[in-house]
Amino acid sequence: MNAPAKEMQLCIDACLRCYQSCLGMAMNHCLEAGGPHVAPPHFRLMMACAEICRTAAHFMLCNVPHHRHVCADCAAICRQCADSCDGLDGMDQCAADCRSCADACERMAA
Amino acid sequence: MNAPAKEMQLCIDACLRCYQSCLGMAMNHCLEAGGPHVAPPHFRLMMACAEICRTAAHFMLCNVPHHRHVCADCAAICRQCADSCDGLDGMDQCAADCRSCADACERMAA
Amino acid sequence: MNAPAKEMQLCIDACLRCYQSCLGMAMNHCLEAGGPHVAPPHFRLMMACAEICRTAAHFMLCNVPHHRHVCADCAAICRQCADSCDGLDGMDQCAADCRSCADACERMAA
Amino acid sequence: MNAPAKEMQLCIDACLRCYQSCLGMAMNHCLEAGGPHVAPPHFRLMMACAEICRTAAHFMLCNVPHHRHVCADCAAICRQCADSCDGLDGMDQCAADCRSCADACERMAA
């Protein structure tokens, strides 16, 4: 009764999973790989994606109707981040987590 | 050169000012006043407003073009929060900070 | 290789679980129950616990040695929050999540 | 009466100033300069410093006594980050903001 509805909980889980992938990969794999992995547009997108995922989860937990708009933003950034990961070595799991999060956020935003 | 442009810095300042007002007032004035100050719709809006202001500032500092969408979201939530504050004792400064932030965010989103 | 070690991943999971419980219960169960559930010392502790759990997870993902100190802080706040939840209806799961997180954080801080 | 005491407000200001410097410099100057500016130990410290500054401000705004411990952590990380900035071109203002924040946090932690 006080827990989020099932669909929303799945979206919170996807957001927190994507947050962990983006932040963890940026701070470890990308910084250690260097080169295109730390190109400003890619790296900034990784950090922005981590942040908006964290915020989207926060809004769903706060139970405010405006979460739909934040989820729509989150989905758009996750898709951009996944595309940016596609061209780089070792980022397949991160790209997959971004796309799963985008799918879940699009369902919440609908 | 590495500092945000002047208009953007003003918006970051407005976001961090509004973040402080919403979180500080919620955790102090609203909790201590009780009654309508802790009605769920008002209190949740205060917390959501604090969070989106923090995130909008973060996006501007990260220098990602998507900050426009987050600023648009932030402006909408700030206006709702200001309206919710209008009906309650002692919330005038918080409402004013929300409206200043909404104005600055709308300029960034334009 | 780029994923956190197993013990650290368990602690990140416990922190993000406790973050969700504290924020979700505060914004839903506590605000709706009112009375002692929104007493300032309890409610502030819920919000502080949610925040430090989020930050402890962030530090572990960032792979900075200082995470030990943040985990020690997190454990201390989680224990206080669990004790505060003990006296209140419907907070058993939140108290359990706080104690699980405190245990995991103490192992990381050791 | 609901505003933070003067000394605390100065510390919140210093934390949010340092947060902006660390995040803004990391995402702009460091990523664009490359080389030692994106060496993992330096860059992680910049991100960890931004995060703990944000959290210390949050704790002070939440009015929980435990803020002293978070301020002590924040001061320690700010000093490390300042030292790391000292060896790098263009980071003087960031190092100065870290040291101002460390000073303010040490006063709160005392």
Side-chain angles (χ1 to χ4, degrees):
Chain A
M1 158 181 56
N2 287 296
K6 192 183 169 201
E7 184 90 358
M8 189 177 279
Q9 184 61 55
L10 290 173
C11 190
I12 294 169
D13 293 343
C15 286
L16 293 179
R17 177 70 256 149
C18 188
Y19 157 70
Q20 288 183 67
S21 290
C22 287
L23 181 60
M25 288 299 280
M27 290 294 111
N28 291 281
H29 180 68
C30 292
L31 284 178
E32 283 159 19
H37 286 80
V38 292
H42 173 67
F43 203 93
R44 287 170 187 154
L45 206 38
M46 294 285 284
M47 300 308 298
C49 194
E51 177 75 5
I52 198 75
C53 285
R54 194 152 82 144
T55 301
H58 204 84
F59 264 68
M60 287 184 274
L61 292 163
C62 282
N63 195 6
V64 281
H66 201 90
H67 76 268
R68 290 174 189 284
H69 300 278
V70 180
C71 285
D73 269 352
C74 188
I77 296 169
C78 284
R79 297 242 178 259
Q80 286 179 31
C81 191
D83 290 348
S84 183
C85 290
D86 279 344
L88 296 170
D89 282 348
M91 305 292 288
D92 291 354
Q93 186 59 52
C94 191
D97 290 337
C98 287
R99 290 195 172 98
S100 295
C101 185
D103 290 345
C105 280
E106 283 167 4
R107 283 193 292 273
M108 293 308 299
Chain B
M1 158 179 58
N2 287 296
K6 192 182 170 204
E7 183 91 357
M8 189 178 278
Q9 184 61 54
L10 291 173
C11 190
I12 294 169
D13 293 343
C15 286
L16 293 179
R17 178 70 256 150
C18 188
Y19 157 70
Q20 289 183 67
S21 290
C22 287
L23 180 61
M25 289 301 279
M27 289 295 112
N28 291 280
H29 181 67
C30 292
L31 285 178
E32 283 159 19
H37 286 79
V38 292
H42 172 68
F43 202 91
R44 288 171 186 154
L45 207 37
M46 294 284 284
M47 300 308 297
C49 195
E51 177 74 4
I52 198 74
C53 286
R54 194 152 82 143
T55 300
H58 204 83
F59 264 68
M60 287 183 275
L61 292 163
C62 282
N63 195 7
V64 282
H66 202 92
H67 76 268
R68 291 175 188 283
H69 300 279
V70 179
C71 285
D73 269 353
C74 188
I77 297 169
C78 284
R79 297 244 178 258
Q80 287 178 32
C81 191
D83 290 348
S84 183
C85 290
D86 279 345
L88 297 170
D89 282 348
M91 304 293 286
D92 292 354
Q93 186 59 51
C94 191
D97 290 337
C98 287
R99 291 194 172 98
S100 295
C101 185
D103 291 344
C105 281
E106 283 166 4
R107 283 191 293 271
M108 293 308 299
Chain C
M1 160 180 57
N2 287 297
K6 193 183 169 200
E7 185 90 356
M8 190 179 278
Q9 183 62 56
L10 290 174
C11 190
I12 294 169
D13 292 345
C15 285
L16 293 179
R17 177 70 256 147
C18 188
Y19 157 70
Q20 288 183 67
S21 289
C22 286
L23 181 61
M25 288 300 280
M27 289 295 112
N28 291 280
H29 181 68
C30 292
L31 285 178
E32 283 159 18
H37 286 79
V38 292
H42 172 68
F43 202 92
R44 288 171 187 155
L45 206 38
M46 295 284 284
M47 299 309 297
C49 195
E51 177 75 4
I52 198 74
C53 286
R54 195 152 82 143
T55 300
H58 203 84
F59 264 67
M60 288 184 273
L61 292 162
C62 283
N63 195 7
V64 282
H66 202 92
H67 77 267
R68 290 174 189 283
H69 300 279
V70 179
C71 284
D73 269 352
C74 188
I77 296 169
C78 284
R79 297 243 178 257
Q80 287 178 31
C81 191
D83 291 348
S84 183
C85 289
D86 278 345
L88 296 169
D89 282 349
M91 303 294 285
D92 291 354
Q93 186 59 52
C94 191
D97 290 337
C98 288
R99 291 195 173 99
S100 295
C101 185
D103 291 344
C105 280
E106 283 166 5
R107 283 192 293 272
M108 293 308 298
Chain D
M1 160 177 57
N2 287 297
K6 192 184 169 203
E7 184 90 356
M8 189 177 279
Q9 184 62 54
L10 290 174
C11 190
I12 294 169
D13 292 344
C15 286
L16 294 178
R17 177 69 257 147
C18 188
Y19 156 71
Q20 289 183 67
S21 290
C22 287
L23 180 61
M25 288 300 280
M27 290 294 112
N28 291 281
H29 180 67
C30 293
L31 285 178
E32 283 159 18
H37 286 79
V38 292
H42 173 68
F43 202 92
R44 288 170 187 154
L45 208 38
M46 294 283 286
M47 300 308 297
C49 195
E51 177 75 4
I52 198 73
C53 285
R54 194 151 82 143
T55 301
H58 204 84
F59 264 68
M60 287 184 274
L61 291 163
C62 282
N63 195 6
V64 281
H66 202 91
H67 76 268
R68 290 174 188 283
H69 300 278
V70 179
C71 285
D73 270 351
C74 188
I77 297 169
C78 284
R79 297 245 177 256
Q80 287 178 32
C81 192
D83 291 347
S84 183
C85 290
D86 279 344
L88 296 170
D89 282 348
M91 304 293 286
D92 291 355
Q93 187 58 52
C94 190
D97 290 338
C98 287
R99 291 194 172 99
S100 295
C101 185
D103 291 344
C105 280
E106 283 166 5
R107 283 192 293 272
M108 293 309 298

Coordinates of all heavy atoms in Angstrom, one line a residue, chain C residues 41 44-45 47-49 51-52 54-55 58-59 62-64 66 69-70 73-74 76-77 80, chain D residues 41 44-45 47-49 51-52 54-55 58-59 62-64 66 69-70 73-74 76-77 80:
Chain C
P41 N 12.3 15.4 14.7 CA 13.6 14.6 14.8 C 13.5 13.3 14.0 O 14.5 12.9 13.4 CB 13.7 14.3 16.3 CG 12.9 15.4 17.0 CD 11.8 15.7 16.0
R44 N 13.4 14.3 10.0 CA 14.8 14.7 9.6 C 15.7 13.6 9.5 O 16.6 13.5 8.6 CB 15.3 15.8 10.5 CG 14.6 17.1 10.5 CD 15.0 18.0 11.6 NE 14.2 19.2 11.6 CZ 14.0 20.0 12.7 NH1 14.6 19.6 13.9 NH2 13.3 21.1 12.7
L45 N 15.7 12.7 10.4 CA 16.6 11.5 10.4 C 16.3 10.6 9.2 O 17.2 10.1 8.6 CB 16.3 10.7 11.7 CG 17.4 9.9 12.3 CD1 18.8 10.5 12.2 CD2 17.1 9.6 13.8
M47 N 15.2 11.6 6.3 CA 15.7 12.3 5.1 C 17.2 12.3 5.1 O 17.9 12.1 4.1 CB 15.2 13.8 5.1 CG 13.7 13.9 5.0 SD 12.9 12.9 3.7 CE 13.7 13.7 2.2
A48 N 17.9 12.5 6.3 CA 19.3 12.4 6.4 C 19.8 11.0 6.0 O 20.8 10.9 5.4 CB 19.8 12.8 7.8
C49 N 19.1 10.0 6.5 CA 19.5 8.6 6.2 C 19.4 8.3 4.7 O 20.3 7.7 4.1 CB 18.6 7.7 7.0 SG 19.3 6.0 7.1
E51 N 19.7 10.4 2.3 CA 20.8 11.2 1.6 C 22.2 10.5 1.8 O 22.9 10.4 0.9 CB 20.8 12.6 2.2 CG 21.9 13.5 1.6 CD 21.7 14.0 0.2 OE1 20.6 13.7 -0.4 OE2 22.6 14.6 -0.4
I52 N 22.5 10.1 3.1 CA 23.8 9.5 3.3 C 24.0 8.2 2.6 O 25.0 7.8 2.1 CB 24.2 9.5 4.8 CG1 25.7 9.3 4.9 CG2 23.5 8.4 5.5 CD1 26.5 10.6 4.7
R54 N 22.6 7.4 -0.2 CA 22.8 7.7 -1.6 C 24.2 8.1 -1.9 O 24.9 7.7 -2.8 CB 21.8 8.8 -2.0 CG 21.6 9.1 -3.5 CD 20.3 9.7 -3.8 NE 20.1 11.1 -3.7 CZ 19.4 11.9 -4.5 NH1 18.8 11.3 -5.6 NH2 19.3 13.1 -4.3
T55 N 24.8 8.9 -0.9 CA 26.1 9.4 -1.1 C 27.1 8.2 -0.9 O 28.2 8.2 -1.6 CB 26.4 10.5 0.0 OG1 25.5 11.5 -0.3 CG2 27.8 11.0 -0.1
H58 N 27.4 6.3 -4.0 CA 28.1 7.2 -5.0 C 29.6 7.1 -4.8 O 30.3 6.9 -5.7 CB 27.6 8.6 -4.8 CG 27.8 9.5 -6.0 ND1 26.9 9.5 -7.0 CD2 28.8 10.3 -6.4 CE1 27.3 10.4 -8.0 NE2 28.4 10.9 -7.6
F59 N 30.0 7.1 -3.5 CA 31.5 7.1 -3.2 C 32.0 5.7 -3.6 O 33.1 5.6 -4.1 CB 31.8 7.4 -1.7 CG 32.1 8.8 -1.5 CD1 31.2 9.8 -1.7 CD2 33.4 9.1 -1.1 CE1 31.6 11.1 -1.5 CE2 33.8 10.4 -0.9 CZ 32.9 11.5 -1.1
C62 N 32.4 5.6 -7.3 CA 33.5 6.5 -7.7 C 34.9 5.9 -7.4 O 35.9 6.4 -7.9 CB 33.4 7.8 -7.1 SG 32.2 8.9 -7.8
N63 N 35.0 4.8 -6.6 CA 36.2 4.2 -6.4 C 37.3 5.1 -5.8 O 38.4 5.1 -6.2 CB 36.7 3.6 -7.7 CG 37.9 2.6 -7.5 OD1 38.2 2.2 -6.4 ND2 38.5 2.1 -8.6
V64 N 36.9 5.8 -4.7 CA 37.8 6.6 -4.0 C 38.0 6.0 -2.6 O 37.0 5.6 -2.0 CB 37.3 8.1 -3.8 CG1 37.6 8.9 -5.1 CG2 35.9 8.2 -3.5
H66 N 38.4 7.1 0.2 CA 37.7 7.8 1.3 C 36.3 7.2 1.6 O 35.6 7.6 2.5 CB 37.6 9.3 1.0 CG 37.3 10.1 2.3 ND1 38.3 10.6 3.0 CD2 36.2 10.4 2.9 CE1 37.8 11.3 4.1 NE2 36.5 11.1 4.0
H69 N 35.2 6.2 5.2 CA 34.7 7.2 6.2 C 33.2 7.5 6.0 O 32.5 7.7 6.9 CB 35.5 8.5 6.1 CG 37.0 8.3 6.4 ND1 37.5 8.2 7.6 CD2 38.0 8.1 5.5 CE1 38.8 7.9 7.6 NE2 39.2 7.9 6.3
V70 N 32.8 7.6 4.7 CA 31.4 7.9 4.4 C 30.6 6.7 4.8 O 29.5 6.8 5.3 CB 31.2 8.2 2.9 CG1 29.8 8.5 2.6 CG2 32.1 9.5 2.5
D73 N 30.0 6.8 8.6 CA 29.0 7.8 8.8 C 27.6 7.2 8.5 O 26.7 7.4 9.3 CB 29.1 9.0 7.9 CG 29.9 10.1 8.4 OD1 30.3 10.0 9.6 OD2 30.3 11.0 7.7
C74 N 27.5 6.6 7.4 CA 26.2 6.0 6.9 C 25.8 5.0 8.0 O 24.6 5.0 8.3 CB 26.4 5.4 5.6 SG 24.9 4.9 4.8
A76 N 26.4 4.8 11.1 CA 25.9 5.5 12.4 C 24.5 6.1 12.2 O 23.7 6.0 13.1 CB 26.9 6.5 12.8
I77 N 24.3 6.7 11.1 CA 23.0 7.3 10.8 C 21.9 6.3 10.7 O 20.8 6.4 11.1 CB 23.1 8.3 9.6 CG1 24.0 9.4 10.0 CG2 21.7 8.9 9.3 CD1 24.4 10.3 8.8
Q80 N 20.8 5.1 14.0 CA 19.9 6.0 14.7 C 18.5 6.0 14.1 O 17.5 6.1 14.7 CB 20.4 7.5 14.5 CG 21.6 7.8 15.4 CD 22.1 9.2 15.1 OE1 21.3 10.1 14.7 NE2 23.4 9.5 15.2
Chain D
P41 N 43.1 9.1 -10.4 CA 43.0 9.5 -9.0 C 42.6 11.0 -8.8 O 41.8 11.3 -7.9 CB 44.5 9.3 -8.5 CG 45.1 8.3 -9.4 CD 44.4 8.6 -10.7
R44 N 38.7 11.3 -10.0 CA 37.7 10.7 -9.0 C 37.6 11.6 -7.8 O 36.6 11.7 -7.2 CB 38.3 9.3 -8.6 CG 38.1 8.3 -9.7 CD 38.8 7.0 -9.3 NE 38.8 6.0 -10.4 CZ 39.7 5.1 -10.6 NH1 40.7 5.0 -9.7 NH2 39.6 4.3 -11.6
L45 N 38.8 12.2 -7.4 CA 38.7 13.1 -6.2 C 37.9 14.3 -6.5 O 37.1 14.8 -5.6 CB 40.2 13.4 -5.9 CG 40.6 13.8 -4.5 CD1 40.0 13.0 -3.4 CD2 42.2 13.7 -4.4
M47 N 35.3 14.5 -8.4 CA 33.9 14.1 -8.4 C 33.4 13.7 -7.0 O 32.3 14.1 -6.6 CB 33.6 12.8 -9.3 CG 34.0 13.1 -10.8 SD 33.2 14.6 -11.5 CE 31.5 14.1 -11.3
A48 N 34.3 13.1 -6.2 CA 34.0 12.8 -4.8 C 33.8 14.1 -4.0 O 33.0 14.2 -3.1 CB 35.1 11.9 -4.2
C49 N 34.7 15.0 -4.3 CA 34.6 16.3 -3.5 C 33.3 17.0 -3.9 O 32.7 17.5 -3.0 CB 35.9 17.1 -3.9 SG 36.1 18.5 -2.8
E51 N 30.5 15.7 -4.7 CA 29.4 15.0 -4.1 C 29.4 15.2 -2.5 O 28.3 15.5 -2.0 CB 29.6 13.5 -4.3 CG 28.5 12.6 -3.7 CD 27.2 12.6 -4.3 OE1 27.0 13.3 -5.4 OE2 26.2 12.0 -3.8
I52 N 30.5 15.2 -1.9 CA 30.4 15.3 -0.4 C 30.1 16.8 0.0 O 29.4 17.0 1.0 CB 31.7 14.8 0.3 CG1 31.5 14.6 1.8 CG2 32.9 15.8 0.1 CD1 30.7 13.4 2.1
R54 N 28.0 18.7 -1.7 CA 26.6 18.7 -1.9 C 25.9 18.1 -0.7 O 24.9 18.6 -0.2 CB 26.3 18.0 -3.2 CG 24.9 18.2 -3.7 CD 24.8 18.1 -5.2 NE 24.7 16.7 -5.8 CZ 23.9 16.4 -6.9 NH1 23.2 17.4 -7.5 NH2 23.9 15.2 -7.3
T55 N 26.4 17.0 -0.2 CA 25.8 16.3 0.9 C 26.0 17.0 2.2 O 25.0 17.0 3.0 CB 26.4 14.9 1.0 OG1 26.2 14.2 -0.2 CG2 25.8 14.1 2.1
H58 N 23.4 19.6 2.3 CA 22.1 19.0 2.5 C 21.9 18.7 4.0 O 20.8 19.0 4.5 CB 22.1 17.7 1.7 CG 20.7 17.2 1.3 ND1 20.0 17.7 0.2 CD2 19.9 16.3 1.9 CE1 18.8 17.1 0.1 NE2 18.8 16.2 1.1
F59 N 22.9 18.1 4.6 CA 22.8 17.8 6.1 C 22.6 19.1 6.9 O 21.8 19.1 7.8 CB 24.0 17.1 6.5 CG 23.8 15.6 6.5 CD1 23.7 14.9 5.3 CD2 23.7 14.9 7.7 CE1 23.5 13.5 5.3 CE2 23.5 13.5 7.7 CZ 23.4 12.8 6.5
C62 N 19.1 20.2 6.5 CA 18.1 19.2 7.2 C 18.1 19.4 8.7 O 17.3 18.8 9.3 CB 18.5 17.8 6.8 SG 17.9 17.3 5.2
N63 N 19.1 20.1 9.2 CA 19.1 20.4 10.7 C 19.2 19.1 11.5 O 18.5 18.9 12.5 CB 17.9 21.2 11.0 CG 17.9 21.8 12.4 OD1 19.0 21.8 13.0 ND2 16.8 22.4 12.8
V64 N 20.1 18.2 11.1 CA 20.4 17.0 11.9 C 21.8 17.2 12.6 O 22.7 17.6 11.9 CB 20.3 15.7 11.1 CG1 18.9 15.3 10.8 CG2 21.1 15.9 9.8
H66 N 24.0 15.2 13.2 CA 25.1 14.4 12.6 C 25.8 15.2 11.5 O 26.8 14.7 11.0 CB 24.5 13.1 12.0 CG 25.5 12.1 11.8 ND1 25.8 11.1 12.7 CD2 26.4 11.8 10.8 CE1 26.8 10.4 12.3 NE2 27.2 10.7 11.1
H69 N 29.7 15.3 11.6 CA 30.6 14.2 11.0 C 30.7 14.3 9.5 O 31.8 14.1 9.0 CB 30.0 12.8 11.4 CG 29.9 12.6 12.9 ND1 30.9 12.2 13.6 CD2 28.9 12.9 13.8 CE1 30.6 12.2 14.9 NE2 29.3 12.5 15.0
V70 N 29.6 14.7 8.9 CA 29.7 14.8 7.4 C 30.6 16.0 7.1 O 31.4 16.0 6.1 CB 28.3 15.0 6.8 CG1 28.4 15.2 5.3 CG2 27.4 13.8 7.1
D73 N 34.2 14.9 7.3 CA 34.5 14.1 6.1 C 34.8 15.1 4.9 O 35.7 14.9 4.1 CB 33.3 13.3 5.7 CG 33.4 11.9 6.3 OD1 34.4 11.5 6.9 OD2 32.4 11.2 6.1
C74 N 33.9 16.0 4.8 CA 34.0 17.0 3.7 C 35.3 17.8 3.7 O 36.0 17.9 2.7 CB 32.8 17.9 3.7 SG 32.6 19.0 2.3
A76 N 38.1 16.8 5.0 CA 39.3 15.9 4.7 C 39.4 15.8 3.2 O 40.5 15.8 2.6 CB 39.1 14.6 5.4
I77 N 38.2 15.6 2.5 CA 38.2 15.3 1.1 C 38.6 16.6 0.4 O 39.4 16.6 -0.6 CB 36.9 14.8 0.6 CG1 36.7 13.4 1.3 CG2 36.8 14.7 -0.9 CD1 35.3 12.9 1.1
Q80 N 42.4 17.0 0.4 CA 43.0 16.1 -0.6 C 42.8 16.7 -2.0 O 43.7 16.6 -2.8 CB 42.4 14.7 -0.6 CG 42.7 13.9 0.7 CD 42.0 12.5 0.6 OE1 41.8 12.0 -0.4 NE2 41.7 12.0 1.8

